[in-house]
Amino acid sequence: MSTNVFSLGGCIIWFVTYIPQIYKVYKTNEVKALSLTTFILLAIGTIFWFIHGILKKNIYISITSTLVLIMHLYILYKIIYKNNNYSEMT
């Protein structure tokens, strides 16, 4: 079996694991229980995965890490936005 099959499978699972969290944050706009530090570290780790995908010329890892990074940045935005109470000023 090709390593690309495992790479694709892992990338799909990696991407899908974040969908419930994104959906919940989007629907409830609640991030109080989420850790800013955790999502900063996850975003940094995802950037490393993106670089790894580019260096290995693995399109699956590159695309998936880009999508996952967008999800991490969305949650980080929500955490920072909600913690600074900007939403209460508008």
Side-chain angles (χ1 to χ4, degrees):
M1 204 180 290
S2 172
T3 58
N4 281 339
V5 172
F6 291 106
S7 181
L8 178 60
C11 287
I12 290 170
I13 292 169
W14 180 33
F15 175 75
V16 170
T17 60
Y18 289 100
I19 292 174
Q21 188 67 65
I22 291 293
Y23 181 77
K24 185 174 182 179
V25 168
Y26 177 76
K27 289 303 254 184
T28 66
N29 208 28
E30 184 57 51
V31 293
K32 191 180 293 186
L34 300 179
S35 167
L36 177 63
T37 304
T38 297
F39 277 92
I40 288 172
L41 292 173
L42 285 168
I44 292 169
T46 302
I47 291 168
F48 281 109
W49 272 110
F50 174 76
I51 294 168
H52 171 73
I54 295 296
L55 293 175
K56 289 290 191 174
K57 296 181 172 79
N58 186 317
I59 192 74
Y60 304 127
I61 294 173
S62 300
I63 290 173
T64 305
S65 59
T66 301
L67 295 173
V68 170
L69 181 60
I70 290 168
M71 289 189 278
H72 288 154
L73 293 175
Y74 172 74
I75 290 177
L76 282 169
Y77 167 77
K78 287 293 200 175
I79 291 171
I80 293 167
Y81 180 77
K82 291 293 278 185
N83 286 344
N84 287 324
N85 297 321
Y86 293 130
S87 60
E88 294 173 6
M89 291 186 213
T90 60

